[in-house]
Amino acid sequence: MVLFRFCAEGTRRSDMALTFAPSQDLTGNLRDDLRHATGPAHVRLDTRIMELDVATRSGLVTFLRGSASALQTLAPVLDSVPLPSCTPLRDAIAGDLSYLGVQPDPPPAGGLHLDANGALGAYYVIAGSRLGAQVLKRHHAKSTDPTILGADRYLTAPTGLGMWKALLYQLTEMNSETNGAAVIAGALDAFDVYVRAFEALEPGEKTHDDE
């Protein structure tokens, strides 16, 4: 079950043994090569995300804060991709955190600098996560807390299928043997951004009342 397309806790891009050799293993089908090369990260991610109970306040807040931090870091890269915008996703998370009374974390220091192919790989991570969000949405709906149920903007944002279809069309127009290594590298960089975003979270949360 693929929920999100980034690595689990404790995994760095440099620690991940890539499952492809650009000169030998790229097939020319970029979608298949992306799925193959990032498969281990999907498994690690599933384990990590399933540890968060998004039907509870603590689980949902952790999920939203980590996702918000990663999207902020990736924003300049994602905004450079000529595909459906990721801005509505950032706005949806901000709305959920505000609804829950949680202060957003400061923007992460630094950023991610990728070329056009690498940016497409980062977009692949986000587009794939929107498909996985459907699984999380079902878990979230099991909450018995009306406040938690009301914080559903991000999980129900109607952007996933459009993003995925647009991405797949773009991938079919590209040759993996020419562009694949850079696209895959960008996806792995985006995975690492998500890892660091969750690792940087401090225990507990700041509410608006703490200001």
Side-chain angles (χ1 to χ4, degrees):
M1 181 185 298
V2 175
L3 297 179
F4 278 73
R5 299 180 184 275
F6 51 89
C7 300
E9 181 176 5
T11 304
R12 289 283 188 267
R13 177 186 166 193
S14 58
D15 295 332
M16 290 191 299
L18 300 184
T19 58
F20 72 100
S23 62
Q24 298 176 5
D25 293 344
L26 294 179
T27 65
N29 185 316
L30 188 48
R31 179 184 179 184
D32 287 348
D33 289 335
L34 269 167
R35 183 169 58 244
H36 173 67
T38 59
H42 295 177
V43 174
R44 297 184 187 103
L45 171 62
D46 284 352
T47 301
R48 170 66 181 263
I49 295 301
M50 289 305 292
E51 291 175 352
L52 298 176
D53 184 355
V54 295
T56 66
R57 180 180 177 89
S58 61
L60 181 62
V61 168
T62 298
F63 170 70
L64 292 172
R65 288 177 63 204
S67 299
S69 178
L71 280 171
Q72 286 185 77
T73 300
L74 294 170
V77 169
L78 297 172
D79 290 345
S80 72
V81 178
L83 293 174
S85 175
C86 295
T87 299
L89 298 179
R90 298 196 294 272
D91 293 343
I93 292 182
D96 282 337
L97 289 174
S98 177
Y99 177 83
L100 293 169
V102 177
Q103 292 184 24
D105 295 283
L112 190 63
H113 304 285
L114 299 172
D115 64 13
N117 290 322
L120 192 66
Y123 192 93
Y124 168 82
V125 174
I126 306 304
S129 78
R130 298 312 301 159
L131 300 182
Q134 299 306 306
V135 177
L136 293 175
K137 183 172 70 172
R138 290 195 290 271
H139 287 297
H140 175 260
K142 296 177 182 178
S143 178
T144 58
D145 185 338
T147 301
I148 299 305
L149 293 172
D152 64 351
R153 295 162 184 80
Y154 181 60
L155 290 177
T156 61
T159 55
L161 189 58
M163 292 176 67
W164 188 247
K165 285 183 175 180
L167 173 66
L168 291 186
Y169 178 81
Q170 183 76 14
L171 293 179
T172 60
E173 296 295 303
M174 301 175 67
N175 187 297
S176 185
E177 294 176 345
T178 302
N179 308 108
V183 175
I184 290 168
L188 292 175
D189 281 336
F191 293 164
D192 189 59
V193 166
Y194 269 96
V195 173
R196 289 184 283 109
F198 278 96
E199 288 180 344
L201 294 180
E202 296 180 359
E205 61 187 71
K206 289 185 178 180
T207 67
H208 294 308
D209 294 335
D210 296 327
E211 294 181 331

